Amino acid sequence: MGRMKMPPGINAIEEEPEDYDSPYSNKATLGCVINTEIAAVLAVMRRNVRWGGRYMSGDDQLEHSLIQSLKALRKQIFSWQHQWHTVNPILYLQPFLDVIRSDETGAPITGVALSSVYKILTLDMIDQTTANVEDAVHLIVDSVTSCRFEVTDPASEEVVLMKILQVLLACMKSKASVMLSNQHVCTIVNTCFRIVHQAGSKGELLQRIARHTMHELVRSIFSHLPDVDNTEHALVNGGNKVKQEVRGPDSEYAFGAQQLDNGNSGSELDGQLSSGSFISNSSTAPISGMMDEFGAGAGKDAVPVDLQMMTEPYGVPSLVEIFHFLCSLLNLFEHTGMGPRSNTIAFDEDVPLFALGLINSAIELGGPSIRRHPRLLSLVQDELFRNLMQFGLSMSPLILSMVCSIVLNLYQHLRTELKLQLEAFFSCVILRLAQSRYGASYQQQEVAMEALVDFCRQKTFMVEMYANLDCDITCSNVFEDLANLLSKSAFPVNCPLSSMHILALDGLIAVIQGMAERIANGSLSSEQAPVALDEYTPFWLVKCDDYGDPNHWVPFVRRRKYIKRRLMIGADHFNRDPKKGLEFLQGTHLLPDKLDPQSVACFFRYTAGLDKNLVGDFLGNHDEFCVQVLHEFAGTFDFQDMNLDTALRLFLETFRLPGESQKIQRVLEAFSERYYEQSPQILVNKDAALLLSYSLIMLNTDQHNVQVKKKMTEEDFIRNNRHINGGNDLPRDFLTELYHSICKNEIRTTPEQGAGYPEMNPSRWIDLMHKSKRTAPFILSDSRAYLDHDMFAIMSGPTIAAISVVFDHAEHEEVYQTCIDGFLAVAKISACHHLEDVLDDLVVSLCKFTTLLNPSSVEEPVLAFGDDAKARMATITVFTIANRYGDYIRTGWRNILDCILRLHKLGLLPARVASDAADETEVSAEPGHGKPVANSLAATHMHSMGTPRRSSGLMGRFSQLLSLDTEEPRSQPTEQQLAAHQRTLQTIQKCHIDSIFTESKFLQAESLLQLARALIWAAGRPQKGNSSPEDEDTAVFCLELLIAITLNNRDRIVLLWQGVYEHIANIVQSTVMPCALVEKAVFGLLKICQRLLPYKENLADELLRSMQLVLKLDARVADAYCEQITQEVSRLVKANATHIRSQMGWRTITSLLSITARHPEASEAGFDALLFIMSDGAHLLPANYVLCVDASRQFAESRVGQAERSVRALDLMGGSVDSLARWACEAREAMPEDEVTKMSEDIGEMWLRLVQGLRKVCLDQREEVRNHALLSLQRCLTGVDGIQLPHILWSQCFDVVIFTMLDDLLEIAQGQSQKDFRNMEGTLILAMKLLSKVFLQLLHDLLQLTTFCKLWLGVLSRMEKYMKVKVRGKKSEKLQELVPELLKNTLLVMKTRGVLVHRSALGGDSLWELTWLHVNNIAPSLQSEVFPDQESRQPETQGHQVSEETVSAHANESLANNGS
């Protein structure tokens, strides 16, 4: 068998194994295929009488040459020994192509031959590697495009045309298509287009197929564009070098102008078709002219192209030619006056739609590659876009929709090259059509809005509009206008919600969600410093170093936007007062301090919103500076290669031409000078330009002023302008063109003021093309949030308002969800860009939709809420925002709290909202105990004391709601009610309201403070007297939450403390009766102190001082809660005793404990706390010593409880001496000398307070307590060895404590109230013993006193009184026995120590004398018993006085002698 055909691009190798991929790879198989086709053609030919018989015209030829060549081929095909791709395809194609070209064959025969060629092409028998492939494909195209046949019936004609289309498309799609030349590709397109055109008069099917084929052709051709080499000749296969392209958008090769092989033009395709079928109806009439242009170099602008280039394998030349042809199909309507503004019915949308579809396909496939080829790009930038602008205003929604799709494609692929074109499209098309006020139909509005929303869905679209247009002083604020348009269009004003509103909302939310997504990508601009101009730089020259680097372009566009805003403000000032406007701009450094003409001219030229009348007056002024500004102003225009009338139109659009002729003269002089400088064309000097400009202004007035009745003719105009060009005439056709231009299109000398979206006219388009050469490069944004802060600040207000209004009007859940997504995106952006005001606005807006703030007119608010999906979604959203973005909520907390309170009133809050918030820390604070019992204390007592709280369990609440009057039996809730209630519960669950408070520790400081303030505000001012139970319930709940967040934020207590304390103080001081609120306030305060003391030592005093509020409670309130307060204080002390350091803090604690001493219920807990502090001196400190002793004394004196407790209190007092001794010892060991002295004084002072306290208890009515107090006092007076009290203190102690106590006891014993004091005798005995014992034990110290004598006499006088005391009316025998004995003992010790010694030195010895004077009154016999040897000398001693020094000296001496 023969060799196989190779896959494309692989050269045949002899030893290659057989390739079974294709059924047609075998030589014989391919031979059979061709044989089959020959047989098919011959068979059809034989059926025709003309071919079936013998061919008789010549003797030498028996058969017709067409049949002969087919038969000859049949003989050869099986005898070829070479591989197929080495066989010249012309050999086996030529017979078929001859049949196709022959005008003798009928339609059926031509059709079969075309099918054969189609089959050969589609079997991939021919590819790039095939021998002589180039000539073969060219031959196929030439033959098929010059196909001839006899028409027998319309149906067979249509079949042939379809097959022609089929074969041409197969040519373009085959692997060999890269060998086609530019010229042949153009021919194929030309032929297909002719068939499309002809099909208008044929059947529907042919029309469809023809158009489809045209689309496929364009797709096939333009899909090669990305593969074209980026060289000037730029061909698909890059094979041969050709001469450089001729530049310019219109320099394409003359389409279809070449003659085809047989000398007939391609139009002969139609030549033999049924007559009159070429132009079938009026709608296609313009096409024939169009095609002639296509075949004649595409109109007047075409530049002949090097013919060699057209014979090269196809590339850019043919693509440019085809694209230009497609664009020119759109121009067609300009020429025929079928513009988009004409009557809708007469306007046929068919051809433009077809052309736009082809263009769209070309752009989709050519895509970004177009920018590599300047000629294609310039076609897109100018001709295509100009047509799109015009068709954009078409009344046909289909055309508008197609135009928008093309622009979206262009945006995707080529936006960097189309900056000003895109601006014009949005300003002149989308913004005009999307609003009804410009006369657009509803359908147009809808299509424009859909297109805009599609753009908004491109993530970077709005950012790029903002960066490139809004931040450019020469461009309009497209981003701002589009954002406002979307917000306004989403607003249903006095009408129900329509699909248009939802569409606009989708666009808005797409923009917002784009911003929200960018947040995750970093680079938030809130860190950027605000822009400020420190010095003057020409604002129109501000440039960016690198438009590709965000580090450069971001600050650059922000600065440019700042300048633009300032210029707008300057324009506003200028419109009110030009002088002040310029001064304002000098103040903001946008104009120099000394005005120069150029800067003022640029201000006029580049600032939008200026009053054009004022600008015109300024420019026309004769003042020298104004004239300079005028010339600089004219210098900002680019009139290069522009017609005079176009230039004049552009110039006069920027201001209003003044009325006075001198001003007009000055303005036109400046214009003419600039025009002549740039576009002299045929004008010889600037005077010619001036005269002609004047003439045009006059013609304009003449033609368009209604008061001028006799209008100037063309001849008049030409006559008026004779000899003005340097004495010569201007060319007649030049003037004629100017005349008609002005007549058709007025020059507006009073341009419209202010905003609005202008229509695009030819002169503006020319100006746009000029500007686009100079405009700043297009900035491409990536997915980071560089400018979102600035953009969001512009659109946030209208956006929130629009979403809210739609949400309000909406009735479908999917619309609710869209709105909710929008709200959440707005919240995210506000939070991440730190726009707290925006977030607050959003929260306020959302809270309204929860329906929780409405005064409840509904009978069953819980069920109504359950049935209202909108309210439930809004509620979940509010709390989602509060939980996620609470850091940035400020005043919004008030609204959120209002919602929480409403839920609380309805009994819908989980019971744990406040308690969990507070107790979470409890667990972590005391991990060993789990939750202490104490924790529930406040709660358990609150309900019993306060107003009865309503049932707070959710189901309990529900049953209350559904129960009717108590007499009636309770109705069972219906299915619907249960479902509604279930929904309500699920909603509240999803809100996670409790985590707002439990997670408050993570809130930013400012937000936390606002939350606390909101709670205080929501709780309301406490009222004296009765408030309603509901108000009190609210106040209690708010207070619980306030305490919870205080406890959760112990590290930031300083921030909250002042507000919390003041709030609690208000409650405490304004409450006169026990109630839940004051209870919560007091116990909350104690709990805060209890929890925070360990963590906040610097605040300890502040916290403890706050507890003094408890002391300020009204007596009735204090009484009601005394026991619990004491338990809390006791717990606080036990937990935090080590953290309480200051005297002030302890004073508060001990004051609270002391009060309880006399309270029956509370005293136990109070004493317990005191025991904890004082037992073994555990927590006694110099700071709290006196306070604790005083508190113990109060407990000792208190008659509440058993006497045993008073005794224990006395033990605490007595035991506290050990602490004093310990401190004294520590001080001596550790402190420097001077501090030790100071410490000793302090300890002495404390000791004195201790014994004074005990002295008071010694007078207690209860014998047991009184006597125990005496013993404790004795212990404190005698057990002070370690303290080293100063001697002087003892004198004080005897005077203030011992003597006073003895005197008081004596008075009681003798007084009237003996019946209250049982067994005083025993107490007096103990007191006497104490006196004696203390005196003797301290004798050594007392002797150091200068007042020893006086003190000793005090002792004696007390003994004397006690000797004589009458208890219950009779003298006490026990005392009369005891006193002499004690006295004797004392005297003996004094004698032994040498204190009481008789000396007869100079001056006598008064101590001796006085002693015996008193002793003799008590027991006269004692002197002789103690000093038996002194009796005889007694009289001598009388009358002598002893000096104090002597006594002291004696004492010292005797101590020295006797030891101690």
Side-chain angles (χ1 to χ4, degrees):
M1 296 298 289
R3 297 300 303 266
M4 297 169 298
K5 169 182 175 292
M6 295 296 113
I10 297 177
N11 296 325
I13 300 169
E14 290 300 321
E15 297 76 28
E16 183 99 295
E18 290 200 356
D19 177 0
Y20 294 107
D21 286 353
S22 163
Y24 304 109
S25 50
N26 182 300
K27 270 194 291 190
T29 311
L30 292 172
C32 292
V33 168
I34 292 172
N35 188 44
T36 308
E37 296 307 315
I38 295 170
V41 175
L42 286 172
V44 178
M45 290 177 87
R46 284 198 189 96
R47 282 174 61 189
N48 189 312
V49 179
R50 182 173 175 186
W51 304 96
R54 288 175 175 276
Y55 197 75
M56 306 304 272
S57 67
D59 300 321
D60 51 343
Q61 238 180 341
L62 288 175
E63 286 181 312
H64 194 284
S65 58
L66 292 178
I67 293 179
Q68 280 186 341
S69 59
L70 285 166
K71 287 184 173 177
L73 174 59
R74 208 171 196 176
K75 284 180 192 163
Q76 291 175 353
I77 46 175
F78 292 112
S79 62
W80 285 328
Q81 293 305 307
H82 310 292
Q83 291 179 342
W84 267 106
H85 73 269
T86 61
V87 175
N88 183 350
I90 293 177
L91 290 175
Y92 53 81
L93 284 171
Q94 187 78 55
F96 296 105
L97 298 176
D98 288 343
V99 172
I100 291 167
R101 285 176 123 162
S102 166
D103 47 10
E104 295 176 53
T105 52
I109 301 169
T110 311
V112 174
L114 283 165
S115 294
S116 302
V117 176
Y118 175 69
K119 188 169 182 181
I120 290 168
L121 282 171
T122 51
L123 291 180
D124 281 346
M125 291 165 72
I126 305 173
D127 61 18
Q128 299 101 306
T129 59
T130 310
N132 201 21
V133 64
E134 197 171 340
D135 292 345
V137 290
H138 288 175
L139 183 65
I140 294 173
V141 173
D142 290 342
S143 303
V144 174
T145 52
S146 54
C147 163
R148 320 276 178 76
F149 58 93
E150 288 178 0
V151 179
T152 51
D153 63 301
S156 57
E157 178 195 349
E158 287 186 23
V159 171
V160 174
L161 291 177
M162 279 183 205
K163 290 192 173 175
I164 291 172
L165 292 169
Q166 239 181 359
V167 173
L168 292 178
L169 184 57
C171 266
M172 272 321 302
K173 287 190 166 181
S174 79
K175 292 176 182 171
S177 66
V178 291
M179 309 313 277
L180 288 167
S181 69
N182 284 306
Q183 167 194 316
H184 283 90
V185 171
C186 291
T187 308
I188 290 173
V189 174
N190 194 0
T191 305
C192 283
F193 186 74
R194 285 167 182 271
I195 295 176
V196 169
H197 169 64
Q198 274 181 279
S201 59
K202 308 275 190 291
E204 180 74 15
L205 184 61
L206 179 64
Q207 289 182 35
R208 294 287 172 89
I209 290 178
R211 291 188 174 213
H212 173 72
T213 308
M214 191 76 184
H215 267 284
E216 287 298 303
L217 268 181
V218 170
R219 292 179 71 81
S220 175
I221 293 167
F222 277 88
S223 63
H224 283 298
L225 185 59
D227 310 328
V228 171
D229 297 343
N230 192 8
T231 55
E232 279 304 318
H233 59 280
L235 303 175
V236 173
N237 66 346
N240 314 324
K241 297 286 174 212
V242 297
K243 295 180 185 171
Q244 187 175 349
E245 276 187 79
V246 182
R247 286 298 182 87
D250 297 311
S251 57
E252 297 79 6
Y253 178 70
F255 226 49
Q258 82 288 358
Q259 289 297 301
L260 301 181
D261 296 339
N262 65 349
N264 291 314
S265 150
S267 63
E268 294 217 13
L269 176 67
D270 323 289
Q272 310 233 335
L273 303 181
S274 52
S275 61
S277 67
F278 188 76
I279 295 172
S280 59
N281 60 35
S282 60
S283 73
T284 54
I287 303 290
S288 55
M290 193 65 246
M291 291 195 310
D292 296 342
E293 191 174 287
F294 189 23
K300 58 177 180 170
D301 300 331
V303 179
V305 177
D306 192 324
L307 277 173
Q308 185 199 344
M309 191 183 294
M310 289 312 279
T311 57
E312 292 292 348
Y314 86 97
V316 168
S318 54
L319 292 170
V320 170
E321 180 66 28
I322 292 164
F323 198 75
H324 181 261
F325 168 65
L326 298 178
C327 293
S328 62
L329 284 177
L330 296 173
N331 291 346
L332 163 77
F333 281 87
E334 287 177 42
H335 307 324
T336 55
M338 284 179 123
R341 285 270 166 251
S342 62
N343 180 354
T344 329
I345 298 148
F347 169 56
D348 183 25
E349 58 190 9
D350 195 36
V351 176
L353 263 180
F354 176 55
L356 288 168
L358 295 174
I359 289 169
N360 195 38
S361 297
I363 288 164
E364 280 171 352
L365 289 157
S369 313
I370 293 175
R371 71 158 63 84
R372 300 209 310 258
H373 307 295
R375 289 168 55 189
L376 268 178
L377 182 60
S378 72
L379 274 174
V380 170
Q381 287 171 322
D382 190 353
E383 190 174 355
L384 173 61
F385 232 108
R386 187 180 70 234
N387 285 320
L388 292 176
M389 295 289 294
Q390 191 176 4
F391 279 100
L393 295 173
S394 153
M395 296 303 285
S396 158
L398 288 173
I399 289 182
L400 175 57
S401 178
M402 198 71 211
V403 166
C404 292
S405 300
I406 293 174
V407 176
L408 182 59
N409 271 319
L410 289 171
Y411 168 80
Q412 290 288 11
H413 300 309
L414 298 172
R415 58 183 179 274
T416 52
E417 317 299 330
L418 298 171
K419 174 174 158 182
L420 297 183
Q421 286 88 337
L422 286 167
E423 179 202 7
F425 181 75
F426 285 108
S427 297
C428 305
V429 178
I430 297 290
L431 284 161
R432 282 180 75 89
L433 292 184
Q435 304 174 68
S436 52
R437 64 177 180 191
Y438 289 102
S441 69
Y442 182 80
Q443 284 183 315
Q444 280 176 299
Q445 288 177 51
E446 199 166 24
V447 173
M449 186 57 75
E450 279 168 1
L452 174 54
V453 173
D454 285 338
F455 276 98
C456 291
R457 291 186 178 126
Q458 315 306 311
K459 298 296 180 204
T460 58
F461 169 71
M462 282 298 209
V463 188
E464 287 172 353
M465 291 299 102
Y466 181 76
N468 289 294
L469 303 176
D470 288 57
C471 296
D472 188 335
I473 55 168
T474 60
C475 299
S476 54
N477 290 339
V478 170
F479 160 73
E480 214 165 312
D481 293 340
L482 293 178
N484 286 336
L485 170 66
L486 287 169
S487 313
K488 274 189 212 146
S489 306
F491 252 89
V493 184
N494 306 328
C495 61
L497 208 57
S498 70
S499 57
M500 182 78 101
H501 298 128
I502 306 298
L503 192 59
L505 180 75
D506 283 343
L508 258 190
I509 289 176
V511 177
I512 294 293
Q513 285 181 330
M515 289 184 181
E517 283 167 28
R518 283 195 288 274
I519 287 168
N521 305 328
S523 213
L524 297 182
S525 59
S526 47
E527 300 134 34
Q528 294 169 348
V531 185
L533 302 178
D534 304 327
E535 54 185 29
Y536 167 71
T537 44
F539 60 83
W540 61 96
L541 297 177
V542 178
K543 288 274 182 292
C544 178
D545 300 333
D546 181 355
Y547 287 91
D549 178 2
N551 295 325
H552 285 103
W553 70 252
V554 173
F556 163 70
V557 298
R558 293 181 82 238
R559 177 185 168 88
R560 229 170 32 165
K561 183 64 181 171
Y562 174 83
I563 290 171
K564 190 171 182 179
R565 280 207 179 104
R566 293 274 146 193
L567 285 173
M568 300 291 274
I569 298 168
D572 201 40
H573 285 291
F574 180 87
N575 292 346
R576 288 194 222 122
D577 181 339
K579 190 172 173 213
K580 284 190 180 156
L582 296 176
E583 282 169 5
F584 168 80
L585 291 166
Q586 286 173 296
T588 53
H589 304 298
L590 285 171
L591 294 179
D593 294 337
K594 184 179 185 310
L595 286 177
D596 67 327
Q598 189 188 17
S599 59
V600 177
C602 289
F603 167 62
F604 288 159
R605 179 79 166 93
Y606 299 123
T607 306
L610 283 170
D611 183 330
K612 294 181 176 178
N613 292 319
L614 292 173
V615 176
D617 289 343
F618 191 102
L619 294 174
N621 202 319
H622 60 79
D623 176 73
E624 189 188 344
F625 180 73
C626 294
V627 173
Q628 289 174 326
V629 171
L630 173 62
H631 281 271
E632 287 289 350
F633 181 76
T636 63
F637 286 85
D638 176 13
F639 296 139
Q640 201 79 41
D641 304 322
M642 219 181 259
N643 287 346
L644 181 66
D645 67 314
T646 302
L648 193 55
R649 285 175 204 283
L650 287 174
F651 187 65
L652 295 179
E653 248 180 25
T654 51
F655 62 92
R656 181 168 192 263
L657 192 62
E660 299 98 284
S661 56
Q662 289 148 319
K663 288 188 176 183
I664 295 175
Q665 166 100 16
R666 277 191 287 275
V667 168
L668 289 180
E669 273 175 7
F671 164 75
S672 308
E673 201 172 305
R674 176 66 175 168
Y675 181 77
Y676 178 72
E677 189 184 306
Q678 287 194 298
S679 278
Q681 292 173 337
I682 51 175
L683 301 170
V684 295
N685 55 28
K686 63 180 182 190
D687 292 341
L690 174 63
L691 289 167
L692 192 51
S693 305
Y694 239 119
S695 185
L696 288 178
I697 295 285
M698 287 164 67
L699 172 65
N700 190 59
T701 310
D702 175 89
Q703 291 295 319
H704 299 288
N705 189 327
V706 288
Q707 291 166 346
V708 178
K709 296 290 180 264
K710 187 172 184 302
K711 304 289 185 194
M712 193 187 299
T713 62
E714 187 182 326
E715 285 305 321
D716 295 339
F717 178 68
I718 292 169
R719 195 166 46 250
N720 291 346
N721 289 299
R722 285 209 178 122
H723 312 313
I724 62 169
N725 197 17
N728 295 320
D729 283 352
L730 286 160
R732 185 183 177 92
D733 52 355
F734 173 73
L735 291 173
T736 301
E737 196 181 331
L738 285 177
Y739 175 81
H740 288 297
S741 171
I742 300 293
C743 290
K744 259 193 279 182
N745 195 352
E746 180 186 0
I747 297 178
R748 295 201 168 276
T749 50
T750 54
E752 66 274 9
Q753 289 288 350
Y757 304 105
E759 282 193 63
M760 180 53 69
N761 57 34
S763 55
R764 282 186 186 142
W765 185 259
I766 292 166
D767 185 41
L768 182 143
M769 294 313 296
H770 276 79
K771 268 192 197 162
S772 62
K773 291 173 193 148
R774 298 189 310 275
T775 188
F778 190 94
I779 293 166
L780 283 172
S781 172
D782 58 18
S783 56
R784 298 224 189 98
Y786 298 117
L787 301 170
D788 287 354
H789 178 274
D790 302 358
M791 291 166 62
F792 187 66
I794 291 170
M795 67 182 291
S796 59
T799 301
I800 293 175
I803 302 176
S804 302
V805 173
V806 174
F807 192 60
D808 194 18
H809 284 66
E811 288 167 6
H812 297 291
E813 233 165 280
E814 60 270 26
V815 181
Y816 299 161
Q817 193 53 56
T818 307
C819 295
I820 295 293
D821 294 343
F823 285 134
L824 288 172
V826 169
K828 181 176 182 180
I829 301 164
S830 313
C832 296
H833 291 296
H834 304 274
L835 297 164
E836 291 88 355
D837 299 353
V838 178
L839 194 55
D840 285 338
D841 290 349
L842 176 63
V843 167
V844 170
S845 193
L846 266 171
C847 285
K848 290 177 192 157
F849 294 117
T850 60
T851 68
L852 295 171
L853 305 186
N854 311 351
S856 183
S857 55
V858 194
E859 283 185 18
E860 294 298 357
V862 179
L863 297 181
F865 184 75
D867 287 328
D868 188 344
K870 188 187 294 184
R872 296 200 310 277
M873 288 173 96
T875 307
I876 292 173
T877 311
V878 167
F879 289 108
T880 305
I881 290 172
N883 277 311
R884 271 189 212 164
Y885 309 115
D887 274 345
Y888 304 98
I889 296 175
R890 298 291 180 263
T891 53
W893 282 124
R894 290 190 173 188
N895 302 72
I896 292 172
L897 273 174
D898 285 343
C899 293
I900 293 177
L901 289 176
R902 177 81 174 133
L903 290 170
H904 174 67
K905 283 176 188 163
L906 293 174
L908 290 174
L909 280 192
R912 58 175 203 276
V913 166
S915 57
D916 271 18
D919 295 344
E920 195 185 22
T921 48
E922 186 101 30
V923 183
S924 53
E926 304 179 18
H929 312 288
K931 294 197 177 184
V933 185
N935 191 40
S936 57
L937 178 90
T940 49
H941 287 283
M942 198 168 101
H943 304 311
S944 55
M945 302 290 178
T947 53
R949 298 274 298 271
R950 64 187 64 186
S951 157
S952 61
L954 286 167
M955 286 319 287
R957 170 76 186 131
F958 186 43
S959 56
Q960 276 182 19
L961 286 171
L962 297 176
S963 62
L964 302 165
D965 295 334
T966 43
E967 294 89 60
E968 293 184 27
R970 287 195 171 185
S971 60
Q972 282 301 308
T974 64
E975 285 287 324
Q976 286 92 332
Q977 288 175 322
L978 282 169
H981 195 260
Q982 196 54 40
R983 285 193 294 272
T984 302
L985 300 196
Q986 286 166 350
T987 301
I988 305 303
Q989 240 172 346
K990 285 181 193 162
C991 289
H992 302 295
I993 295 173
D994 46 340
S995 54
I996 293 177
F997 303 99
T998 53
E999 301 297 312
S1000 62
K1001 49 181 165 294
F1002 303 116
L1003 278 182
Q1004 282 188 5
E1006 180 59 28
S1007 177
L1008 178 66
L1009 191 57
Q1010 293 289 352
L1011 174 57
R1013 285 179 182 163
L1015 278 166
I1016 292 167
W1017 172 82
R1021 299 276 310 166
Q1023 305 291 320
K1024 289 225 178 205
N1026 296 330
S1027 57
S1028 74
E1030 201 163 68
D1031 288 347
E1032 190 190 354
D1033 197 24
T1034 299
V1036 169
F1037 182 65
C1038 289
L1039 185 58
E1040 283 177 355
L1041 294 176
L1042 185 63
I1043 291 165
I1045 63 167
T1046 308
L1047 293 174
N1048 268 322
N1049 288 278
R1050 61 185 182 216
D1051 298 329
R1052 298 186 286 180
I1053 183 66
V1054 182
L1055 189 70
L1056 300 173
W1057 179 243
Q1058 193 57 39
V1060 174
Y1061 172 73
E1062 284 172 9
H1063 181 55
I1064 291 177
N1066 275 335
I1067 294 171
V1068 166
Q1069 289 165 6
S1070 65
T1071 310
V1072 290
M1073 291 300 284
C1075 63
L1077 180 60
V1078 74
E1079 180 185 0
K1080 180 50 83 175
V1082 170
F1083 292 118
L1085 178 66
L1086 292 172
K1087 191 184 239 182
I1088 291 171
C1089 295
Q1090 192 180 324
R1091 294 276 190 84
L1092 297 182
L1093 275 172
Y1095 301 102
K1096 289 283 162 195
E1097 293 189 6
N1098 53 341
L1099 255 187
D1101 285 357
E1102 187 69 35
L1103 290 168
L1104 291 162
R1105 185 182 298 121
S1106 72
M1107 287 167 57
Q1108 292 175 1
L1109 282 177
V1110 180
L1111 301 171
K1112 297 179 184 170
L1113 281 169
D1114 183 277
R1116 284 168 292 189
V1117 179
D1119 191 50
Y1121 301 125
C1122 195
E1123 185 180 355
Q1124 298 97 282
I1125 291 174
T1126 314
Q1127 286 177 347
E1128 286 294 325
V1129 173
S1130 170
R1131 191 170 299 111
L1132 179 141
V1133 169
K1134 288 178 180 175
N1136 300 301
T1138 49
H1139 302 292
I1140 307 172
R1141 304 271 164 79
S1142 71
Q1143 190 168 7
M1144 193 285 307
W1146 280 111
R1147 176 170 293 118
T1148 308
I1149 297 286
T1150 51
S1151 309
L1152 288 166
L1153 294 178
S1154 305
I1155 290 173
T1156 64
R1158 287 175 178 70
H1159 195 283
E1161 288 93 16
S1163 58
E1164 195 54 53
F1167 186 64
D1168 190 38
L1170 194 62
L1171 261 176
F1172 175 78
I1173 300 169
M1174 294 184 70
S1175 292
D1176 307 324
H1179 296 289
L1180 280 175
L1181 304 166
N1184 68 6
Y1185 184 85
V1186 173
L1187 299 163
C1188 289
V1189 164
D1190 196 45
S1192 303
R1193 176 184 65 74
Q1194 297 201 33
F1195 274 100
E1197 289 177 345
S1198 163
R1199 303 191 68 162
V1200 173
Q1202 303 295 318
E1204 181 204 346
R1205 191 169 68 209
S1206 299
V1207 170
R1208 283 164 71 202
L1210 290 168
D1211 287 340
L1212 290 178
M1213 291 173 80
S1216 69
V1217 172
D1218 300 343
S1219 296
L1220 295 176
R1222 188 174 76 245
W1223 297 335
C1225 175
E1226 285 166 3
R1228 285 196 295 277
E1229 287 169 10
M1231 290 181 173
E1233 190 66 36
D1234 53 339
E1235 284 186 34
V1236 171
T1237 315
K1238 170 82 175 72
M1239 188 69 184
S1240 298
E1241 284 175 20
D1242 292 347
I1243 290 173
E1245 185 64 36
M1246 291 180 225
W1247 175 81
L1248 189 60
R1249 294 289 290 271
L1250 169 66
V1251 291
Q1252 280 178 317
L1254 284 167
R1255 172 190 72 76
K1256 292 178 183 170
V1257 189
C1258 291
L1259 310 179
D1260 198 277
Q1261 289 185 347
R1262 294 164 297 173
E1263 179 190 1
E1264 185 186 345
V1265 175
R1266 192 167 63 229
N1267 293 350
H1268 198 79
L1270 279 166
L1271 294 172
S1272 297
L1273 179 59
Q1274 184 176 316
R1275 176 184 169 193
C1276 293
L1277 290 167
T1278 55
V1280 289
D1281 300 346
I1283 301 179
Q1284 295 187 344
L1285 295 168
H1287 309 305
I1288 189 73
L1289 205 59
W1290 286 113
S1291 163
Q1292 234 178 317
C1293 174
F1294 269 87
D1295 286 347
V1296 178
V1297 179
I1298 300 173
F1299 291 162
T1300 311
M1301 178 199 69
L1302 291 167
D1303 296 347
D1304 290 349
L1305 283 172
L1306 200 62
E1307 194 180 315
I1308 291 168
Q1310 293 172 329
Q1312 301 305 310
S1313 54
Q1314 289 175 357
K1315 62 178 183 297
D1316 296 332
F1317 289 82
R1318 301 255 176 91
N1319 195 2
M1320 275 305 290
E1321 187 180 20
T1323 304
L1324 296 177
I1325 290 168
L1326 284 173
M1328 250 340 359
K1329 285 180 178 174
L1330 177 142
L1331 173 68
S1332 164
K1333 190 168 185 183
V1334 171
F1335 180 78
L1336 287 176
Q1337 189 162 339
L1338 299 173
L1339 187 56
H1340 170 259
D1341 289 320
L1342 297 175
L1343 287 169
Q1344 313 299 319
L1345 296 168
T1346 52
T1347 55
F1348 176 74
C1349 187
K1350 181 181 165 201
L1351 190 147
W1352 168 235
L1353 292 175
V1355 171
L1356 288 173
S1357 70
R1358 296 319 183 275
M1359 286 183 163
E1360 193 176 329
K1361 284 178 186 168
Y1362 269 58
M1363 188 71 184
K1364 297 171 182 166
V1365 71
K1366 286 184 179 176
V1367 181
R1368 296 184 184 275
K1370 56 183 182 182
K1371 289 194 176 182
S1372 163
E1373 291 174 14
K1374 288 182 181 175
L1375 277 172
Q1376 287 183 329
E1377 280 175 29
L1378 180 69
V1379 173
E1381 196 181 314
L1382 291 173
L1383 180 56
K1384 178 182 176 184
N1385 197 16
T1386 307
L1387 291 171
L1388 284 168
V1389 173
M1390 288 173 76
K1391 173 188 173 187
T1392 312
R1393 293 199 182 177
V1395 177
L1396 193 62
V1397 181
H1398 179 255
R1399 293 185 183 79
S1400 51
L1402 179 65
D1405 189 351
S1406 67
L1407 180 68
W1408 178 268
E1409 308 278 344
L1410 293 167
T1411 301
W1412 297 117
L1413 202 62
H1414 279 286
V1415 171
N1416 289 337
N1417 288 340
I1418 298 163
S1421 62
L1422 273 178
Q1423 186 171 4
S1424 55
E1425 286 177 32
V1426 179
F1427 288 98
D1429 54 333
Q1430 294 288 342
E1431 271 184 26
S1432 57
R1433 297 162 62 180
Q1434 188 184 357
E1436 299 172 29
T1437 65
Q1438 285 182 356
H1440 289 291
Q1441 286 211 326
V1442 108
S1443 72
E1444 287 174 356
E1445 286 82 2
T1446 319
V1447 174
S1448 192
H1450 284 321
N1452 289 339
E1453 195 180 304
S1454 65
L1455 286 169
N1457 293 339
N1458 300 330
S1460 181

